[in-house]
Amino acid sequence: MLTLINTARRKKNRPLLTLDYRLGLAAKDHSDSMAKHGYFAHRGRDGSNFQMRMKRHGYPLSHSAENLAKARDASTVFQMWSDSKGHRVNMMNKKYTRVGIVRTGDYWTANFSAPAGT
């Protein structure tokens, strides 16, 4: 998934995204929860939003966004996100240089962020 997103970003002269383990842990918690409990929403079962989940894993508040999808493979998810204006904006935002992407079963979560604290 990271390769697909970074290939698209490179074509638009956007900085490439690098993985951040803290964003990945936040994404994993959410994908795991959605898969385990059979729901699909940005709001967690505990009432959390993505920034709260990021902060739990040590990522300071910053300009950030979350993309979700439910599909089997990365190419399908990438196409779904590319076809959705809001999701595409998140993937291509030039402020974002960090990402955490996790798939649990068919549940995908991507947390995009500017450098910590910006």
Side-chain angles (χ1 to χ4, degrees), residues 47-100:
S48 63
N49 63 36
F50 69 94
Q51 288 182 321
M52 293 165 77
R53 293 186 291 270
M54 289 165 49
K55 189 173 179 182
R56 279 184 203 153
H57 289 286
Y59 203 89
L61 289 179
S62 61
H63 189 78
S64 55
E66 178 179 74
N67 282 5
L68 302 178
K70 187 175 179 190
R72 293 215 178 261
D73 61 88
S75 60
T76 299
V77 171
F78 177 77
Q79 192 60 54
M80 290 166 59
W81 287 346
S82 296
D83 292 342
S84 163
K85 182 181 178 185
H87 292 96
R88 184 176 59 250
V89 166
N90 291 343
M91 285 195 307
M92 301 305 292
N93 190 315
K94 65 183 176 184
K95 292 181 182 180
Y96 299 153
T97 59
R98 311 288 193 280
V99 69

Side-chain angles (χ1 to χ4, degrees), residues 5 12 21 34 42 47 50 53-54 68 71 86 99 103 107 114 117:
I5 295 170
K12 297 289 185 179
Y21 75 95
M34 289 189 296
H42 288 282
F50 69 94
R53 293 186 291 270
M54 289 165 49
L68 302 178
V99 69
R103 172 190 176 195
Y107 292 86

Side-chain angles (χ1 to χ4, degrees), residues 3-4 8 16 19 28 33 51 54 73 76 84 86 97 101 111:
T3 300
L4 292 170
L16 299 183
L19 293 174
K28 181 177 182 342
S33 178
Q51 288 182 321
M54 289 165 49
D73 61 88
T76 299
S84 163
T97 59
I101 306 168
N111 290 327

